Structures are given as structure tokens and as C-alpha cells.
Amino acid sequence: KQKTASELYQCDWSSDVCSSDLIKVCSEATADRRARDLVLIILWAEAALVLFAVAPDGVKIVAIFLNGLSLGMVWGMVVGYLEGRRTSEVLLSALCCSFILASGMVKDVGRALMENFAVSESWMPAVTGLCFLPGFLISVWCLHQMPGPTEEDIEARVLREPMNKTHRIADRKSTRLNSSHTDISRMPSS
């Protein structure tokens, strides 16, 4: 069997990142709640873009930060649908490509909205997000209809169960205990 992501990932967290609400949302997402959570995350991102449109200049950076936090969770939520399969690497590579292509499409639609429909720079991100919302909702529905990993997938891979706070803390502690630290000051000079 292949190792889990937490077994492969060695890190010495200096803060309580693993217990943060962002990690909590993705790590505790169960299959029955994943579609709802994904839609709520995107609605949060869209609300942040509306805040960007109406906020004074000094607050716009906060709106973009809030939008970025929510969009960062989208990857983790979508990965939940694709992981644990013998074809996960191919599916995740396709997901990466789709994010890259989508970035270009969003920019093209945003530019077209400003040039052809007189949408202001401040409102362009929110209006663009609304244009893509129906397609996003259909995509989430399709993802939710996708069957889970087969018995063969589960046999070949490690099934990842949702992690609650206790599991995240235990994982963080075991990662700290298992990580090796190299003191560069003691390394031989060349």
C-alpha cells in the first residue's frame, strides 16, 4: 500500500495551523457534506468579491484576502472526490490543468465584461464569478454523483477518513516526533 499524505509530509508546525478553521473545513469534510461545503465556500468567495466592489480602497485588500482563503479550500474539497483511487494521480493532474485553463478563461471573461458591458474594475470580479456560478453548480452536482473508490482502489490505496480535531492534533504530534532536524551550523563547510 502507498503511504498517506501525512506519512509522506514531514513538517514542524510552529503555530496552531492544523487546528485552524481552514484546515478543519477540508479535513473534517465527509462525503455527504462535501458538495454543500464546496458550494458554501464558493458563495463565501463571491460575497468577498461583492465586498471588494463596494468597500473603500483601504478595505479592498481584506476582501481579496477573504476571497483567497475560501478559494484555497476549493482544492482540498475537490481533491476529496478524487483521492483514494488507482487513477488519482491522473485525475489530480487533470484538475491542475483545469485550474490553469480556468484562470485564463476567467481573465478573458472579465476583460470582455469590462470592454463590452461597461462593468467597472471594482465590480468585474464579482460579476465574473456570477457568470461562472451556474457551471460551477452543475460541476459540483456531477462530482457528487461520481461513485466512490472501488474495492480494488481501496485495496491499492489508503482510504482517508475525515480528521476531527483530536486526529489532527495527534497527526501533528506524530509528525513532530518523526521529523528529523538538521542543524546547518554543524554541517561541514566546503
Side-chain angles (χ1 to χ4, degrees), residues 123-135:
W123 275 100
M124 181 271 297
V127 174
T128 303
L130 285 175
C131 290
F132 284 93
L133 190 58

Side-chain angles (χ1 to χ4, degrees), residues 16-189:
D16 205 16
V17 173
C18 288
S19 298
S20 73
D21 290 337
L22 299 179
I23 301 297
K24 175 182 172 57
V25 169
C26 292
S27 67
E28 290 186 8
T30 58
D32 60 323
R33 286 188 10 220
R34 195 174 291 130
R36 181 204 66 184
D37 291 351
L38 194 49
V39 170
L40 290 174
I41 288 168
I42 288 296
L43 292 176
W44 171 271
E46 183 65 24
L49 293 176
V50 170
L51 176 62
F52 176 82
V54 299
D57 287 342
V59 180
K60 288 186 185 297
I61 190 76
V62 174
I64 291 300
F65 176 74
L66 293 173
N67 175 267
L69 286 177
S70 56
L71 293 180
M73 289 188 286
V74 169
W75 173 266
M77 298 299 285
V78 174
V79 165
Y81 286 105
L82 305 178
E83 67 185 356
R85 301 164 193 276
R86 290 171 292 167
T87 58
S88 289
E89 289 82 4
V90 173
L91 294 171
L92 292 170
S93 295
L95 180 64
C96 287
C97 292
S98 75
F99 277 38
I100 293 166
L101 291 173
S103 174
M105 288 177 58
V106 165
K107 291 173 187 171
D108 290 342
V109 169
R111 184 180 321 110
L113 286 169
M114 290 192 313
E115 291 173 0
N116 301 327
F117 297 97
V119 174
S120 71
E121 284 184 8
S122 292
W123 275 100
M124 181 271 297
V127 174
T128 303
L130 285 175
C131 290
F132 284 93
L133 190 58
F136 168 77
L137 294 172
I138 291 168
S139 297
V140 170
W141 182 83
C142 289
L143 274 173
H144 200 64
Q145 303 311 308
M146 195 168 78
T150 64
E151 288 298 323
E152 293 84 17
D153 290 333
I154 293 170
E155 186 65 31
R157 300 294 178 137
V158 174
L159 183 64
R160 185 188 70 81
E161 296 292 333
M163 294 175 74
N164 61 26
K165 184 177 181 177
T166 305
H167 292 124
R168 286 192 312 275
I169 291 170
D171 183 62
R172 189 176 74 206
K173 286 180 181 176
S174 72
T175 302
R176 278 187 184 162
L177 293 173
N178 294 328
S179 65
S180 60
H181 300 284
T182 304
D183 184 356
I184 12 180
S185 65
R186 296 182 187 208
M187 293 185 74
S189 59

